[in-house]
Amino acid sequence: MTGTEGFRARIVFLLKVPLEYEYDFLDAYEQIRYEVARGVPGHLRDQVCRSATDPEQWMITSEWRDLDSFVAWEATEEHRELAAPLRRCFTEARSLRFEICAETSAQPAPEPATTTS
């Protein structure tokens, strides 16, 4: 682990998926995400997002209890087997790893007080 022990991790995959593979890509993502959510230690949540300006640009983010949990999962044969159908759909990929140091609350900000006369 790095010097930020105890921090959750965010993994970002930036992918280029040709339009003709979009549905295969989304089908493969659906298969993988349920398998991971059901039984991979340390996995918390994930999202798949498409660029608003380039329909071939995609991003998958996942949140993990810690970076070690992701690294351990990524090194398994199960990960390679599950990710294979997804990997067949993209032509470019970039992977980034971050430790979450701070975040905003999901709670809405309080409304300003109003005065009545």
Side-chain angles (χ1 to χ4, degrees), residues 41-87:
H43 176 265
L44 301 175
R45 65 187 55 86
D46 57 73
Q47 294 178 319
V48 64
C49 308
R50 180 179 26 204
S51 168
T53 58
D54 179 356
E56 292 188 345
Q57 185 67 51
W58 291 80
M59 175 179 68
I60 297 174
T61 66
S62 59
E63 188 173 329
W64 296 77
R65 183 180 60 234
D66 53 50
L67 194 53
D68 285 346
S69 294
F70 171 74
V71 170
W73 159 244
E74 187 180 43
T76 67
E77 183 63 31
E78 181 184 8
H79 172 264
R80 284 186 287 284
E81 288 174 14
L82 275 176
L86 196 67
R87 287 192 170 130

